[in-house]
Amino acid sequence: MKNTKTAEAALSILKEGNKKYISSDVPSGDISRAIRERTAEAGQSPHTVVITCSDSRVIPECIFSAGIGELFVIRVAGNVIDRHALGSIEYAADHLGSRLVVVLGHTHCGAVGAAMHHEAGGFVKSITDEIQSAIGGETDELRACEKNVLNSVSVIESALSDAVGDFTVVAAIYDIKSGEVTFL
Ligand SMILES: [Zn+2]
């Protein structure tokens, strides 16, 4: 069973879900036993792929009031794109029918901050080097976050150019204080 929702329909579901999240203190996605059993039997058909940061304050299913089987989520610090992420996107688009890909950055991202201040070492540097090349000398933190997500969008679009058309890639920023998602 593949997803049949268009990118446009998926985007409006996400926007509505985010409004619901902001106006309520309780997560409202369907995580019932019934949906768990149904998706275990019938398989998954997520309408959207979300690529976001590992930051513990960013919880995609809650942010969009989504439940089991709705979001195909890829998480890595700084929401940078590597070959594994590309493979995951390709899989969701080809085999699960996902038509919308959202790169979701967030305010006060530690990975972006570390890239701005050149303070990473070890394996973390492989992440901040990627972010650094996307943000250049940007000194405004929010603007740097936006440049970073826009870079991830263009990495996806150029690597998967044959498939773009089958799915739509959009950039968004999550405000970790207000809970609001702004699509760029
Ligand atoms: Zn982050």
Side-chain angles (χ1 to χ4, degrees):
M1 190 179 67
K2 277 192 182 185
N3 167 60
T4 54
K5 292 186 178 76
T6 62
E8 205 178 24
L11 189 58
S12 68
I13 291 169
L14 296 182
K15 287 179 176 173
E16 280 307 308
N18 182 239
K19 273 188 201 158
K20 205 168 160 187
Y21 167 67
I22 295 167
S23 63
S24 164
D25 285 336
V26 185
S28 57
D30 187 355
I31 54 165
S32 64
R33 178 197 292 255
I35 184 94
R36 201 168 64 227
E37 290 177 353
R38 191 159 73 240
T39 51
E41 286 280 315
Q44 59 168 330
S45 50
H47 53 72
T48 300
V49 179
V50 177
I51 298 117
T52 193
C53 184
S54 304
D55 192 302
S56 61
R57 297 166 292 183
V58 182
I59 307 175
E61 283 83 358
C62 295
I63 292 168
F64 294 117
S65 305
I68 292 171
E70 292 184 74
L71 304 179
F72 192 86
V73 179
I74 301 160
R75 299 190 70 163
V76 66
N79 37 265
V80 293
I81 305 299
D82 62 9
R83 297 177 64 81
H84 300 142
L86 291 170
S88 302
I89 297 164
E90 209 168 46
Y91 174 79
D94 290 351
H95 296 275
L96 307 176
S98 308
R99 290 291 164 259
L100 179 65
V101 177
V102 178
V103 180
L104 183 66
H106 67 97
T107 56
H108 306 297
C109 181
V112 172
M116 287 172 75
H117 303 109
H118 305 275
E119 56 195 20
F123 290 109
V124 180
K125 197 166 181 300
S126 70
I127 294 171
T128 53
D129 281 351
E130 173 68 19
I131 298 173
Q132 177 59 50
S133 74
I135 65 176
E138 182 60 56
T139 52
D140 179 78
E141 194 194 67
L142 180 60
R143 188 69 199 121
C145 286
E146 290 173 355
K147 284 182 174 172
N148 183 46
V149 286
L150 291 169
N151 177 61
S152 291
V153 168
S154 71
V155 170
I156 295 166
E157 287 180 335
S158 54
L160 302 178
S161 58
D162 289 350
V164 172
D166 288 345
F167 59 83
T168 303
V169 192
V170 299
I173 298 285
Y174 173 64
D175 185 315
I176 62 167
K177 190 172 183 192
S178 71
E180 192 176 353
V181 174
T182 304
F183 289 89
L184 304 181

